[in-house]
């Protein structure tokens, strides 16, 4: 890689033009103070071409029906065995009460791999939510869960998606992608969907008109080359199926006693945001996910390429059980103030990224 690749990547990326593979690698060839600053400048120019000064957020509710999970991922402090002290199982009335009490625009449903909440029960949850709340945007179940539902129900992945869509599921979240590295897959999450399987299931959903998010977990022994490879795989998949709405980089939360003591620094997190914005020219939205970055870094992420701050996340469990030291929820007023303080214009959106009521 030469310095010219970095220069060319900044020039093209700031104009929202496609980077070559070598240019993409060149962005992360050397992370120096000067380059960090220039990455931010280019990513800001890119996001301003796309969204000007608008920054969106959604009033959402995270529903995690249970944290009991048997996949055994090495990095997860969220999952629990049945008898673990922090294990829990929600019942349907509790979930409906949360939705009724908070009145979110969007719900995000993700659970563990278990037979306490098997496919049929989850399917009926989606159906019940749709019947009770016709206008609610239901974003539900990762590719990992779709794979598990298919294997445990005897149905094909396609049929699982068809049934969920018919019941009222609007979209899929992007969790479970981790990072597209066979090396890390074999080491850390070999009992669940492979990187290739994750991409295949999302493209299957796209073919049915189900939009999805995409994520990347970073900061747990991955390299910059593996991160760039992840971006390029996503970009190619988006060229083929076109259904990714948003990309969300997730900094690893080490938690107590984990195999890595410290997660990514704020500057590393901002660098990942900036480079993803420059490389992922065909995925429209980039989310600065404050429950894992921290609120201050999340707000700064808007200057480093992100256009969305996710939401108020009134009842969020996964990031906090993993060790994230952020507030459990932000009221609308706090979200508005956070975005304004970062220098942007807050716009509430729905689950499809359409504005609700204009700028606040």
């Amino acid at each position: 890689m030469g310095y010219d690749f970095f220069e060319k990547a900044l020039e093209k990326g700031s104009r929202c033009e496609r980077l070559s593979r070598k240019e993409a690698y060149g962005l992360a060839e050397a992370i120096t103070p000067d380059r960090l600053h220039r990455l931010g400048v280019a990513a800001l120019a890119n996001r301003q071409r796309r969204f000007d000064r608008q920054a969106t957020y959604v009033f959402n509710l995270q529903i995690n029906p249970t944290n009991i999970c048997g996949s055994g991922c090495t990095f997860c402090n969220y999952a629990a065995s049945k008898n673990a002290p922090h294990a829990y199982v929600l019942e349907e009335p509790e979930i409906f009460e949360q939705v009724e009490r908070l009145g979110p625009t969007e719900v995000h449903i993700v659970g563990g791999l278990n037979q306490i909440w098997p496919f049929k029960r989850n399917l009926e949850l989606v159906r019940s939510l749709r019947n009770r709340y016709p206008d609610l945007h239901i974003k539900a179940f990762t590719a990992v869960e779709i794979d598990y539902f298919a294997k445990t129900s005897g149905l094909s992945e396609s049929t699982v998606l068809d049934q969920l869509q018919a019941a009222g599921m609007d979209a899929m979240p992007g969790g479970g992608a981790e990072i597209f590295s066979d090396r890390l897959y074999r080491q850390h999450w070999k009992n669940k969907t492979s990187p290739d399987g994750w991409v295949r299931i999302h493209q299957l959903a796209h073919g049915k008109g189900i939009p999805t998010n995409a994520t990347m977990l970073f900061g747990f022994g991955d390299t910059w080359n593996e991160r760039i490879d992840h971006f390029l795989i996503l970009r190619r998949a988006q060229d083929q199926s076109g259904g990714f709405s948003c990309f969300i980089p997730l900094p690893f939360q080490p938690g107590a006693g984990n195999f890595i003591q410290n997660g990514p620094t704020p500057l590393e997190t901002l660098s990942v945001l900036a480079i993803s914005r420059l490389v992922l020219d065909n995925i429209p939205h980039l989310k600065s996910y404050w429950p894992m970055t921290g609120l201050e870094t999340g707000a700064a992420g808007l200057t480093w390429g992100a256009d969305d701050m996710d939401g108020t996340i009134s009842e969020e469990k996964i990031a906090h059980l993993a060790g994230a030291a952020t507030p459990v929820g932000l009221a609308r007023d706090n979200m508005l103030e956070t975005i304004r303080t970062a220098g942007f214009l807050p716009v509430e959106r729905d689950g499809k990224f359409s504005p609700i009521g204009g700028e606040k």
Side-chain angles (χ1 to χ4, degrees):
M1 303 295 166
Y3 189 74
D4 288 345
F5 284 123
F6 179 74
E7 293 292 332
K8 192 67 173 177
L10 291 183
E11 179 186 336
K12 291 169 65 176
S14 65
R15 297 196 302 261
C16 304
E17 296 175 7
R18 173 150 295 193
L19 307 186
S20 70
R21 178 176 291 272
K22 288 185 177 180
E23 288 162 352
Y25 281 119
L27 287 173
E29 182 187 11
I31 305 297
T32 64
D34 172 65
R35 287 190 173 206
L36 284 172
H37 173 72
R38 297 185 65 200
L39 282 170
V41 170
L44 178 61
N46 182 302
R47 71 90 70 209
Q48 287 182 320
R49 281 177 177 264
R50 295 167 180 263
F51 305 104
D52 197 13
R53 290 181 57 219
Q54 292 188 348
T56 52
Y57 70 96
V58 63
F59 184 44
N60 59 354
L61 170 65
Q62 185 97 355
I63 297 174
N64 308 127
T66 178
N67 64 341
I68 295 172
C69 183
S71 63
C73 303
T74 64
F75 48 74
C76 184
N77 289 336
Y78 164 75
S81 63
K82 285 185 180 181
N83 298 320
H86 67 291
Y88 72 88
V89 178
L90 296 180
E91 300 297 329
E92 286 83 351
E94 296 176 88
I95 293 171
F96 300 144
E97 188 277 330
Q98 285 182 343
V99 177
E100 188 69 32
R101 172 168 49 88
L102 295 164
T105 302
E106 172 190 278
V107 292
H108 179 155
I109 308 173
V110 175
L113 308 185
N114 60 78
Q115 287 301 294
I116 298 169
W117 272 87
F119 174 57
K120 285 188 178 180
R121 188 177 183 185
N122 279 294
L123 180 66
E124 288 309 311
L125 174 63
V126 171
R127 198 186 317 277
S128 296
L129 287 169
R130 174 56 65 230
N131 290 337
R132 288 166 179 259
Y133 310 101
D135 297 327
L136 183 66
H137 186 84
I138 302 174
K139 183 170 63 179
F141 311 120
T142 65
V144 174
E145 290 168 286
I146 300 301
D147 172 72
Y148 181 77
F149 291 159
K151 288 176 178 175
T152 54
S153 67
L155 302 172
S156 68
E157 294 160 350
S158 181
T159 299
V160 167
L161 288 169
D162 287 341
Q163 291 188 9
L164 286 168
Q165 189 176 31
M169 181 184 78
D170 294 300
M172 280 174 55
E178 318 315 356
I179 193 166
F180 299 148
S181 161
D182 287 337
R183 174 183 72 87
L184 292 169
Y185 168 64
R186 291 191 299 269
Q187 185 177 354
H188 292 296
W189 70 96
K190 62 182 179 181
N191 294 325
K192 68 183 190 186
T193 314
S194 69
D196 288 344
W198 187 97
V199 172
R200 177 179 50 75
I201 290 170
H202 277 260
Q203 291 191 301
L204 181 62
H206 299 168
K208 298 176 182 296
I210 302 170
T212 75
N213 287 343
T215 61
M216 181 184 75
L217 183 68
F218 67 95
F220 65 109
D222 45 295
T223 67
W224 269 109
N225 279 355
E226 286 171 326
R227 296 170 186 176
I228 300 297
D229 287 342
H230 188 100
F231 301 153
L232 294 173
I233 290 168
L234 281 177
R235 192 175 74 177
R236 183 172 65 247
Q238 180 77 335
D239 282 344
Q240 295 167 349
S241 60
F244 290 117
S245 300
C246 184
F247 176 66
I248 310 118
L250 303 172
F252 177 65
Q253 307 293 316
N258 218 314
F259 60 91
I260 290 179
Q261 288 190 332
N262 299 306
T265 65
L267 278 177
E268 186 175 4
T269 296
L270 294 173
S271 300
V272 169
L273 274 168
I275 293 174
S276 64
R277 181 66 287 170
L278 298 174
V279 176
L280 294 174
D281 58 273
N282 57 357
I283 296 181
H285 299 285
L286 175 63
K287 186 176 295 186
S288 188
Y289 190 61
W290 68 264
M292 283 189 168
T293 66
L295 189 55
E296 294 83 2
T297 303
L302 296 173
T303 301
W304 288 66
D307 62 283
D308 189 78
M309 278 281 287
D310 195 70
T312 50
I313 312 182
S314 303
E315 307 278 345
E316 205 281 346
K317 295 183 177 71
I318 293 176
H320 294 89
L321 286 174
T326 55
V328 172
L330 278 182
R332 272 194 180 96
D333 288 347
N334 286 346
M335 181 62 77
L336 295 173
E337 180 64 22
T338 297
I339 292 172
R340 289 196 189 105
T341 300
F344 294 86
L345 301 174
V347 177
E348 185 173 355
R349 64 168 175 86
D350 62 18
K352 298 179 180 179
F353 287 88
S354 298
I356 299 175
E359 297 169 3
K360 301 292 182 182

